[in-house]
Amino acid sequence: MKLTELFRQGKFVVTSENGPPKGTDVAEMLENAEAMRGRVDAVNITDQQSSVMRLGSLAACSLLKQRGIEPIFQVTCRDRNRIALQSDLLSAAVLGIENVLCLTGDYVGLGDHPDAKPVFDLDSVSLLETVRRLQNGHDLANEELKGKPSFCAGAVVAPEADPVEPQIIKMEKKVKAGAQFFQTQAVYDPRAFESFMGQVKHLNVPVMVGIVLLRSAAMARFMNRNVAGIRVPDALIEEMDKAEDRTKKGVEIAARLIREMKGMCQGVHIMAIGTEKLVPAIVDEAGL
Amino acid sequence: MLISEQKPMEEILGYLNGDRSVFLLGCDGCAQASHTGGPEEVREMQGRLEAAGKTVTGSTVLDFLCERAQVKLGLVPFAGQVAAADSVLVMSCGVGIQAAAASIDKPVHPACNTLSLGGSRGEWQGSERCMECGDCVLEWTGGICPLTACTKSLLNGQCGGAKNGKCEFQPDLRDCGWHLIYERLRKLNRLQLLRDAPINIKQYSRMQPPKEIRNTPRWSLDVRA
């Protein structure tokens, strides 16, 4: 089912994400997906996350779809030119995939194949525009399609980026290019998120706040130093530091953030990064 | 030599739409040889702009606009004329346009597309400035080229990877190009340009130097030498 349908019904939409394995053994990935069955509305499948070569998002999405778990096909522009991207979008459509998330993708130098040729023929904005044109029955060369796809196309934004204005300008462009929902980078400061939502109100597009499950104070400090657009406040780091049971504390913080921000937005995107089995606990504790 | 072509006049007039007065800056280097920005072309451009109702506050043709220090020095005698203009139209390769943008606190409009380096690089040493894409976008980006300034050569805005104005890749070495573009446009009070810029799906075919260039004696001599 398209996420747009859920937003239309006024549902607070819950998504999480799952990374394909490096290799062909999909058992663990499917186990993680199984743990989320019925607990989230859809599961993002990452596309060579952090530029690390893995099983493809399209194949993994198809496996989930076959099992009745709604996938969100993440598509980045790092590894494919416009011919391959359009072709994969058509392939996704015939495999029954209805939700796509259009991303630029990390630079190749950050991953495990730094010598690869970076592509970036399109970017997140022009990829959204591409989805729109395909849905209208033509490709980027304006050639007519025999049968056209129909997707719910989403995009991402970082509400705590500094400065946030270029992010908002790009978000406006993404909406113009056809983005129907947004998942955000992790947010840890409800006040900052409230201010962000105030600034993008005019766009009238569903926003799903991003939650990254904290596993330790060290992880929080690492993200503050290295991950763009993420700012974990000192108070939360201290809370993690003092916790006896860090797993429990991480879940508690995630649930608390969701409860605090639920009223400000239209959904939540939970990123458990390797501990997907904790997602149901977060959903329960957040009262979703 | 950097080979350039003049953009269509209607595109240039579109860039100058909000400006009543303009200062013209040409180049006595490759742009003169390409017949796109030498003294003669600058004179012609002045006539066409005046015919379109624009006031040309002044003009000059500098030696090698691609050398930023030369641009700064060369513009000193024209400071008053530049100050009197709403903007500056630069008739040179992409390096020269960026050298001018980096030297003038005013909107700088590109008058040319850069087609090929054709044998030699621009003179602004220290970094790469122009990819000879054949479809110059400097009008929309504050005179900073996103193809060369952004590690991913993104054309439609900043990605989510920038932190503290630095690129996600080699942040100790690389600025985020789109952060630089944002800061420049903010300083010029022209952020609206980012919002107005059409969604760019680049015609990468134009990065191939056109056949006419490949057919010139200079090109063949160079290739066969």
Side-chain angles (χ1 to χ4, degrees), chain A residues 82 104-107 109-110 120-121 123 125-126 163 165-167 169-170 172-173 176-177 224-225 227-228 230, chain B residues 151-152 154-163 168-169 179 182 186 191 194-195 197 199-202 204:
Chain A
R82 67 189 74 181
T104 295
D106 293 323
Y107 190 67
L110 302 186
F120 303 108
D121 180 18
D123 58 29
V125 176
S126 45
E165 196 177 15
Q167 287 287 312
I169 291 172
K170 189 152 184 187
E172 289 166 356
K173 278 191 132 54
K176 270 189 214 161
N224 277 350
R225 269 197 315 274
V227 183
I230 291 191
Chain B
T151 307
K152 299 174 187 170
L154 300 182
L155 290 160
N156 295 298
Q158 188 181 46
C159 79
K163 198 172 177 74
E168 66 182 20
F169 181 60
H179 183 75
Y182 166 75
R186 196 167 62 111
L191 276 175
L194 288 187
R195 299 193 168 90
I199 295 173
N200 192 329
I201 301 180
K202 193 121 191 111
Y204 281 101

Side-chain angles (χ1 to χ4, degrees), chain B residues 109-190:
Chain B
H109 306 287
C112 300
N113 291 323
T114 307
L115 304 179
S116 165
L117 287 178
S120 115
R121 293 211 158 259
E123 297 292 314
W124 185 358
Q125 301 294 329
S127 56
E128 290 159 23
R129 298 272 162 189
C130 180
M131 277 194 189
E132 319 110 75
C133 75
D135 185 18
C136 190
V137 297
L138 288 167
E139 172 66 15
W140 306 100
T141 55
I144 297 171
C145 175
L147 280 176
T148 52
C150 168
T151 307
K152 299 174 187 170
S153 295
L154 300 182
L155 290 160
N156 295 298
Q158 188 181 46
C159 79
K163 198 172 177 74
N164 303 323
K166 298 293 178 180
C167 179
E168 66 182 20
F169 181 60
Q170 301 177 335
D172 47 335
L173 299 174
R174 291 172 191 245
D175 290 320
C176 166
W178 277 98
H179 183 75
L180 298 177
I181 291 169
Y182 166 75
E183 288 293 340
R184 171 81 54 82
L185 289 173
R186 196 167 62 111
K187 190 167 145 198
L188 293 175
N189 205 15
R190 290 182 32 107

Side-chain angles (χ1 to χ4, degrees), chain A:
Chain A
M1 181 190 275
K2 288 181 184 166
L3 291 195
T4 28
E5 186 52 39
L6 299 175
F7 290 120
R8 203 172 295 124
Q9 292 166 12
K11 194 175 180 314
F12 187 78
V13 179
V14 182
T15 55
S16 61
E17 76 183 35
N18 211 338
K22 194 177 188 71
T24 56
D25 182 353
V26 293
E28 193 188 339
M29 179 190 79
L30 292 176
E31 230 175 78
N32 285 337
E34 225 27 82
M36 293 184 273
R37 179 191 290 277
R39 310 308 308 273
V40 300
D41 295 301
V43 178
N44 284 32
I45 300 291
T46 51
D47 177 14
Q48 331 278 352
Q49 193 170 21
S50 309
S51 307
V52 171
M53 193 289 294
R54 300 159 201 267
L55 176 75
S57 174
L58 181 53
C61 282
S62 180
L63 291 178
L64 257 62
K65 188 78 192 177
Q66 284 167 23
R67 286 161 176 76
I69 298 170
E70 196 60 53
I72 300 174
F73 176 32
Q74 290 199 2
V75 186
T76 75
C77 300
R78 175 191 52 237
D79 310 311
R80 286 160 288 183
N81 68 9
R82 67 189 74 181
I83 298 174
L85 286 169
Q86 292 180 98
S87 174
D88 278 1
L89 286 166
L90 296 181
S91 301
V94 302
L95 291 169
I97 292 156
E98 295 178 274
N99 300 292
V100 294
L101 191 76
C102 299
L103 307 154
T104 295
D106 293 323
Y107 190 67
V108 288
L110 302 186
D112 63 353
H113 287 62
D115 291 330
K117 184 174 185 184
V119 181
F120 303 108
D121 180 18
L122 302 179
D123 58 29
S124 52
V125 176
S126 45
L127 180 59
L128 284 160
E129 171 70 18
T130 303
V131 170
R132 179 165 58 194
R133 292 199 201 174
L134 292 176
Q135 295 187 135
N136 287 336
H138 288 85
D139 66 12
L140 283 181
N142 211 26
E143 296 293 331
E144 202 174 332
L145 301 179
K146 186 171 178 180
K148 54 193 183 186
S150 171
F151 293 114
C152 162
V156 298
V157 66
E160 292 202 70
D162 180 26
V164 74
E165 196 177 15
Q167 287 287 312
I168 294 177
I169 291 172
K170 189 152 184 187
M171 188 179 176
E172 289 166 356
K173 278 191 132 54
K174 288 177 178 180
V175 171
K176 270 189 214 161
Q180 292 167 293
F181 72 95
F182 282 82
Q183 292 177 334
T184 78
Q185 175 59 291
V187 177
Y188 290 96
D189 180 354
R191 279 333 112 224
F193 186 62
E194 194 174 22
S195 147
F196 169 79
M197 288 304 291
Q199 290 177 74
V200 301
K201 215 168 137 191
H202 63 288
L203 294 175
N204 257 323
V205 63
V207 174
M208 306 175 69
V209 65
I211 299 287
V212 166
L213 178 65
L214 289 177
R215 286 213 289 268
S216 64
M219 174 200 180
R221 289 195 196 97
F222 176 86
M223 291 198 299
N224 277 350
R225 269 197 315 274
N226 299 301
V227 183
I230 291 191
R231 276 188 283 176
V232 188
D234 291 341
L236 285 187
I237 298 179
E238 208 176 305
E239 233 186 299
M240 283 305 292
D241 231 353
K242 287 183 179 157
E244 275 181 28
D245 184 338
R246 288 188 302 198
T247 306
K248 212 173 141 196
K249 181 52 87 177
V251 169
E252 181 197 318
I253 291 174
R256 187 169 78 216
L257 288 168
I258 296 170
R259 282 197 307 270
E260 286 181 72
M261 294 189 278
K262 192 179 173 199
M264 304 171 189
C265 57
Q266 290 70 40
V268 60
H269 177 60
I270 304 167
M271 294 165 269
I273 317 175
T275 52
E276 281 73 20
K277 292 190 178 74
L278 292 173
V279 170
I282 299 172
V283 170
D284 286 340
E285 203 165 327
L288 296 173

